[in-house]
Amino acid sequence: MNIMTNQQIFDILADNEEKLFYALCQNKESKALKAAHVSARQSLKAFALATGSHN
């Protein structure tokens, strides 16, 4: 079994979060979608702070 560290999880998410977030979206210019992306990015930063991860 291969268990990922918090740093490995953070690295994958930080490197790919925008691609993953907009991958299936029809309207990439939607203001609501952009606001949700900002929220997701803030959550990623909170995860980094809580786990001691860094990019």
Side-chain angles (χ1 to χ4, degrees):
M1 179 189 260
N2 191 10
I3 298 174
M4 295 177 70
T5 66
N6 287 336
Q7 183 65 49
Q8 289 170 318
I9 293 167
F10 176 77
D11 288 343
I12 289 170
L13 292 174
D15 291 344
N16 297 293
E17 56 93 10
E18 189 168 355
K19 288 182 240 174
L20 292 169
F21 196 83
Y22 290 103
L24 300 176
C25 299
Q26 296 288 330
N27 181 4
K28 293 176 179 30
E29 299 303 316
S30 164
K31 289 182 183 181
L33 181 63
K34 288 184 183 221
H37 182 219
V38 168
S39 178
R41 186 172 283 173
Q42 289 172 341
S43 295
L44 184 57
K45 288 178 185 177
F47 174 82
L49 288 172
T51 62
S53 301
H54 55 83
N55 195 357

